[in-house]
Amino acid sequence: MSATSTGDDLRAAALAVAPALLAVDPKALGGVLLKGPAGPVRDRFIATLTAALPAGSPVLPVPCHVGPGRLIGEIDTTATLAAGRLIHDPGLFVRAGRGLLVLRSAERLEPSAAALVALALDEPGEGFGIVACDESLADEDGPARCLAERLALHLDLTGLDESAIPATEPEVVAAARDRLARVTVADAAVVRLAAAASALGVRSDRALLHCVRAARILAALARRMTVSDADAETAAILVLAPRATRLPQAAADPAEAEDPPPPPPESEADNPSDPPPGDPAVAEDRVLDATVAALPPDLLAALSAGKPPARGRSPAGRSRDTGAASARGRQIGTRAGDPRRGRLDLLASVRSAVPWQRLRGAPPSGARLSLRPADLRLKRLKNRKGATTIFCVDASGSTALERLAEAKGAVEQILADCYVRRDEVALVAFRGQEATLIVPPTRSLQRARACLQALPGGGGTPLAEGIAAACRLGVDTARRGRTPTLVLITDGRPNIGFGGIAGRDRAAEDATTAAREVAAHHLRALVIDSSARPEPRARALADTMGALYLALPHADSASLHRAVQAGSAALAAGVKP
Amino acid sequence: MAEPFPFTAIVGQSEMKQALLVAAVDPRIGGVLITGDRGTGKSTAVRGLAAILPPLRVVADCPYRCGPGDSPECCPHCSSATTRTLGTGPVPVVDLPLGATEDRVVGALDIEEALVHGRKRFEPGLLARANRGFLYVDEVNLLEDHLVDLLLDVAASGENIVEREGLSVRHPARFVLIGSGNPEEGELRPQLLDRFGLSVEVTSPDDIDLRVEAVKRRESFDRDANAFHATWAREQQRLARRIAAARKRLEAIEVTDMMRRAIAGLCIKLGTDGLRGELTLIRAARALAALEGDTTIAANHLRQAAPLALRHRLRRNPMDEAGSRIRVERALAEAWAA
């Protein structure tokens, strides 16, 4: 397909200029989000960018566990104790000056740190830019949205090699930096970019502003005093394309194509087929066409399928802390440690130092107490653990369609409950050959509802895949520091095994294997038998899982809801069937 | 810190600006919740608000910005001070970032004082800094539960009580809570939702001209902030005078019994819980009347205030997506037809 190769070319050209673009004025663009694994391409990008910055610009790497104090400045406790006088650490924001902060694995950055970086980027005036490296995989959370939104460039380096990023000439970048303030952008160009943003469903005015700024910088790099169409195109490819949430109407809506075409306007017959260059309407199309052509392939696929592009999950309740060693929450005790790795509990530290005072002799001048780093105690904090109910619903043909409607109804009702309790809900459905995560863990009713409504029914019963998918999600949820509960709604009569292989015996065997996996992870589970008569196989499956079993012939969504509530109460109380 | 983008130069978003102005005229209104898309100028508007508000009369050096009318025992600073000299200070707009530690929010033991001088002193947190001003929580719907609990407590009492680490401190923390967020990324806890006096929904303008104008203004602000401020100075002053005048006029605004009945009828019709909706609606309508230089609340004030004050209070089927704004407007139309 020729359009694809053009798109690749456009993307490649845009990527090649990105380091120079950013180096001219990192603060104006916020920075760049680099998606892809660590490796030579990413290193090359950062090195190229660094080389193009003014000499001596700081480029500071920031680890994902950076604390607020390290960013905004704090007292260096250990140095203070050693010196016997107060020693401040100005923090990375000050030390970054007009350079760059490189967030390694930005997707694992503490939400508090991400929020502080976002605030710092909002500060007017001169400041630093951000290089945020995103190593998240397809089904993982990306960087915090408040941060990603403020970075103009979103680049995907996956699968590229080093040659994708040519060297930049520092003199050209320096000249562009000098010229930038005098580069103007015509209103018409801004209108074109705004039209492209609207057509692509880019709602943020910040993104549009970033795009205009990028276009000006590109003009400065090309030694132009005004923004050209090519500058606008490249800027749109770099800034708008990765943020697209829809395809322009004409291309996105096949129904529209079937509509009787509107009568051609009179003027069209008069105009030559090649309108003169410089016509605003044509130029607008050019910017938009170039951007659409350069949409990343996966994004294009998602948009054509009518799905909103997968964004990172909400950071709500997101925590990689496994229980006790949380960075936030209420204090549950103390432990010895470095105060830069946690929150100092000063009273406990003093308490631990007091018994040693006589042995240590006189404290440093001016101090009343001789404290040593070994005395320092950190707070142990505990975050309240949230619950996540994972529904695993049989949406196959054997489950009558009204059953599916009931299950949907029950999920909706339970969602409303969870909304009050701040619990999360997720929904895995299985039908045909495979299991699909229909509703990723969410507290958002709106989102869950939209996902639920789109759930179709019919096809085979790949029970094993369903259980396995729910189990994986359960394990992942537990890793996020939440308590998962699996609720499996099925009639227990699978006919598709792992890998979409048909056959009842094989399917039943695989379902048992998947159920054992649930038991092995000690996941709380509830099996709701939705067959018309209690089905021994569903009961056996529940036993294998170590799950509570509920036979629910002729359930409506309300009784299903009550059953799940009763079932989870029993599970919480540790009752076994 | 450099001057923020002028409030009056924000393009469009008139409902959001109006809600913020209402809260600025009557801080007792209980804060504003702004929901909607990212990058729509929510934080720009909130940060620009302080510049158009009359400066506060404050006790000099008081970290809690106590006012001349506050009792001498109001906070740790004023209760230990021998004399109170007055000065003026800007209205604070404080950001409460997501994931902030409890220490930073409520305040904590001053480590510097403790380490160097062996003295136990309280280091005020964000709640103290926000006293008599605005506390802005971006993505309030994603705020962690323990911070929400804390905010609910302080917002209800207007006072921050710290009992920890051997500290026993209480200080005033009366602020207008401004929250923003996108409900599609997580729902707000009902208790917190109820705290907000007003709510508005913002969307990016689909109008190309508005978007272009927004970008152009921002560009010229970035290029030369001083010149930009000079251009907008008159507009800013005019709005500042309007707010100051509205504040003076506020208490004198009359509410007729007929108007009270109409408001009660509207709230009953919409089935809002409790009296909070009604009270907020009266306050908001009064503030709007004051802003517009009127002496009584009229139907048009109510029409503008009702969606702001009631939209988020409708008892709803949580699954009901029908716009609550539309329901408020429908009820308004019916109330007036009857």
Side-chain angles (χ1 to χ4, degrees), chain A residues 359-426:
Chain A
L359 279 174
R360 287 176 188 174
S365 63
R368 308 254 170 107
L369 193 68
S370 172
L371 266 172
R372 306 247 168 107
D375 299 327
L376 298 180
R377 295 290 177 272
L378 301 186
K379 294 174 178 178
R380 284 172 63 219
L381 303 170
K382 189 182 173 82
N383 236 337
R384 196 196 296 170
K385 268 193 167 189
T388 304
T389 306
I390 300 165
F391 287 89
C392 183
V393 177
D394 187 339
S396 67
S398 67
T399 307
L401 271 181
E402 67 258 34
R403 279 279 143 135
L404 183 57
E406 284 155 12
K408 284 185 184 180
V411 175
E412 286 202 1
Q413 289 192 32
I414 290 156
L415 263 169
D417 285 356
C418 294
Y419 161 63
V420 174
R421 285 203 313 270
R422 305 282 285 163
D423 288 353
E424 285 183 349
V425 169

Side-chain angles (χ1 to χ4, degrees), chain A residues 541-569:
Chain A
L541 201 64
D543 289 345
T544 313
M545 264 188 221
L548 204 63
Y549 170 80
L550 280 172
L552 210 64
H554 306 298
D556 55 30
S557 63
S559 54
L560 203 54
H561 175 217
R562 276 197 300 278
V564 171
Q565 274 192 324
S568 16

Side-chain angles (χ1 to χ4, degrees), chain A residues 209 267 324 327 362 552:
Chain A
L209 180 69
S267 58
L552 210 64

